[in-house]
Amino acid sequence: MKEFNIDELNRKFQEKIDNDIKIEPKDWMPDDYRQTLIRQISQHAHSEVVGMLPEGNWITRAPNLRRKAVLLAKVQDEAGHGLYLYSAVETLGADREQTIDDLHSGKAKYSSIFNYPTLTWADMGAVGWLVDGAAIMNQVPLCRCSYGPYARAMVRVCKEESFHQRQGFEIMMKLAAGTPEQKAMAQDALNRFWWPALMMFGPNDAESKHTQQSMDWKIKRHTNDELRQQMVDITVPQAEMIGLTIPDPDLKWNEETGHYEYGEIDWDEFWQVVKGNGPCNKDRIDARRKAKEDGLWVRQAANAHAEKRRARNAKKAS
Amino acid sequence: MTNNEWPLWEVFIRSKQGLSHKHVGSLRAADEKMAIENARDVYTRRSEGISIWVVASANVFASNPDEADSLYEPANSKVYRHPTFYDVPDGIEHM
Ligand SMILES: [Fe+2]
Ligand SMILES: [Fe+2]
């Protein structure tokens, strides 16, 4: 086997990245690259799983059977997304159980948006339209991420996401065209979710420590502010179309740049929620912990059953 | 592995009759039966497949990417294995 020194390995690694050659699990990679991916992919996985809670909250109270079936299918998809991503983390040598325990101990983060409560049925509309909308905007470029298993997981995820956004928009559209009370409910949901949805793209570029390195590694393809601008530009006309108002008095179209200008984001609120002081942080983590603890006997029983079957089959074969 | 964790399985799906099974990802399950059921739920929710294989990840043996050069180099030097290596004069057809 050939011996390489570390500089040579690093150079070859960056050369692959620069030539858009994917990095696969058994390839050599710098430790920082591995750690960055473990952190990012596990956070992403946690977001998918914690993200089931605010929507799961409404499954039993969906207004009719069609809406219920759709919401159930959407939430099931999110469980699948979590699973694809935990599998991708495992290819990096991370211990899956440990990454989940890190979530439960508060060491690992997940998307702050899921720390906001879903108070009305219209929130199912706002979440699908805005939250899944923002997630799509983040995830589409990740399909070209330099790490093969992450990119492949994202391709699957993106295929499934677009129905999530459409079903949310459909809920908003229906409510906005309904009675004055229904329209007010839709507007209220938009008012509460608009700014947290814009915060989903993370801090301003000037404040974002990891962006440059992640771009050099082609884990990230666009900066936070680029994606946020794209979200605003795409969403404003959609809101107008269904007769809802974006809750931003500073919002205006700039003819010269061809983009919307939008108001200042409340970053204090963002950091408060990241640090655990959002309206639902504690509920979310408590629910995850409880699910893990309550499920323990099931996992153990399944293992015991599998062990028994193995023993029985071995006996039959001998 | 602790008794609380389930082993890892690699999942292969045949998307339609006539095509081979293709690796689509992995999942955890207590045994092969549960692995197939979970694979159905996770990887075929939109009719992506008509047949599933699961293989315990521990049973997969892989080549070493560091040895790729020595493993595959001999193929690179044998260009005569490709039809484009040969000159076919103009006017010769069906070859
Ligand atoms: Fe998702
Ligand atoms: Fe989604």
Side-chain angles (χ1 to χ4, degrees):
Chain A
M1 209 179 104
K2 273 188 260 174
E3 289 285 332
F4 290 108
N5 67 33
I6 190 85
D7 293 334
E8 175 73 359
L9 286 167
N10 267 314
R11 197 186 55 76
K12 289 210 153 193
F13 171 82
Q14 192 61 45
E15 201 175 270
K16 273 196 210 164
I17 302 261
D18 294 342
N19 289 312
D20 282 323
I21 296 173
K22 297 271 189 245
I23 307 301
E24 294 294 343
K26 284 171 157 280
D27 295 346
W28 185 90
M29 61 186 91
D31 207 42
D32 288 348
Y33 177 82
R34 186 186 298 276
Q35 295 311 325
T36 299
L37 281 169
I38 290 176
R39 182 169 46 81
Q40 179 171 337
I41 303 173
S42 62
Q43 277 185 18
H44 196 160
H46 301 331
S47 302
E48 301 286 352
V49 171
V50 176
M52 288 192 278
L53 297 169
E55 290 182 302
N57 176 37
W58 278 93
I59 290 174
T60 56
R61 292 175 290 160
N64 59 45
L65 201 55
R66 176 183 182 272
R67 298 274 176 218
K68 187 174 186 162
V70 168
L71 187 57
L72 200 55
K74 191 228 185 232
V75 173
Q76 191 193 14
D77 274 356
E78 305 300 3
H81 297 176
L83 190 137
Y84 310 150
L85 288 160
Y86 285 124
S87 298
V89 180
E90 286 192 280
T91 65
L92 290 157
D95 181 77
R96 165 145 89 175
E97 184 105 12
Q98 186 60 50
T99 64
I100 292 172
D101 288 340
D102 286 347
L103 168 71
H104 296 180
S105 71
K107 195 178 148 210
K109 302 286 177 219
Y110 55 91
S111 180
S112 281
I113 192 77
F114 302 118
N115 291 315
Y116 290 85
T118 45
L119 304 175
T120 70
W121 172 251
D123 290 8
M124 295 305 94
V127 167
W129 176 32
L130 302 174
V131 176
D132 288 81
I136 291 170
M137 220 147 265
N138 263 325
Q139 286 166 344
V140 167
L142 285 173
C143 295
R144 293 187 297 133
C145 160
S146 58
Y147 187 58
Y150 193 23
R152 291 192 286 274
M154 281 302 107
V155 170
R156 292 190 62 86
V157 165
C158 286
K159 271 190 202 152
E160 301 182 351
E161 284 294 350
S162 61
F163 120 70
H164 298 181
Q165 195 189 19
R166 285 183 184 199
Q167 64 84 36
F169 187 70
E170 187 191 65
I171 291 172
M172 289 303 257
M173 195 165 57
K174 270 266 150 62
L175 288 173
T179 64
E181 288 83 0
Q182 287 172 324
K183 185 170 182 183
M185 196 197 268
Q187 182 63 54
D188 170 64
L190 172 58
N191 292 350
R192 283 180 290 109
F193 277 95
W194 174 252
W195 292 105
L198 293 191
M199 292 176 199
M200 282 176 71
F201 297 97
N204 282 332
D205 292 348
E207 311 289 320
S208 177
K209 324 179 259 219
H210 305 297
T211 296
Q212 192 50 51
Q213 179 63 80
S214 285
M215 297 204 31
D216 291 346
W217 279 333
K218 294 193 183 165
I219 295 174
K220 230 178 147 147
R221 299 281 184 156
H222 306 283
T223 71
N224 297 351
D225 288 331
E226 284 166 8
L227 291 168
R228 191 169 9 247
Q229 183 67 53
Q230 203 185 333
M231 173 79 184
V232 173
D233 289 345
I234 285 176
T235 313
V236 172
Q238 294 171 349
E240 275 170 8
M241 196 83 107
I242 57 174
L244 296 179
T245 311
I246 302 284
D248 179 358
D250 298 322
L251 187 76
K252 61 169 188 284
W253 174 250
N254 184 325
E255 196 71 56
E256 245 158 69
T257 60
H259 294 292
Y260 283 94
E261 289 170 10
Y262 54 95
E264 187 63 40
I265 288 172
D266 182 354
W267 292 113
D268 282 344
E269 176 182 320
F270 174 77
W271 289 114
Q272 279 300 323
V273 181
V274 169
K275 284 182 189 132
N277 303 322
C280 300
N281 295 59
K282 189 176 174 310
D283 289 359
R284 302 300 186 225
I285 292 302
D286 286 352
R288 291 308 312 148
R289 274 206 207 107
K290 184 171 181 310
K292 192 180 174 198
E293 283 160 20
D294 289 355
L296 178 60
W297 72 269
V298 179
R299 297 195 297 282
Q300 287 174 334
N303 264 344
H305 176 71
E307 196 50 57
K308 242 189 203 165
R309 271 192 56 225
R310 254 192 302 276
R312 209 169 34 227
N313 289 343
K315 219 174 176 183
K316 249 189 257 160
S318 68
Chain B
M1 192 186 78
T2 66
N3 192 37
N4 305 338
E5 257 184 282
W6 291 337
L8 193 64
W9 302 81
E10 299 303 320
V11 180
F12 300 80
I13 304 244
R14 184 203 295 285
S15 58
K16 65 176 198 196
Q17 220 54 20
L19 296 178
S20 35
H21 287 74
K22 195 172 158 230
H23 184 246
V24 292
S26 54
L27 50 74
R28 286 188 175 266
D31 58 20
E32 65 281 3
K33 200 164 155 268
M34 188 195 273
I36 286 181
E37 285 164 6
N38 288 0
R40 179 205 57 199
D41 289 346
V42 174
Y43 292 108
T44 66
R45 285 198 302 285
R46 289 175 175 78
S47 3
E48 291 95 334
I50 51 152
S51 164
I52 299 173
W53 285 354
V54 292
V55 178
S57 307
N59 289 333
V60 174
F61 299 90
S63 62
N64 183 345
D66 294 340
E67 291 164 6
D69 286 354
S70 54
L71 265 180
Y72 307 116
E73 198 284 326
N76 291 338
S77 62
K78 294 179 177 61
V79 284
Y80 46 82
R81 283 181 170 152
H82 298 278
T84 46
F85 178 75
Y86 301 91
D87 284 331
V88 178
D90 289 344
I92 299 285
E93 281 174 42
H94 309 299
M95 187 179 278

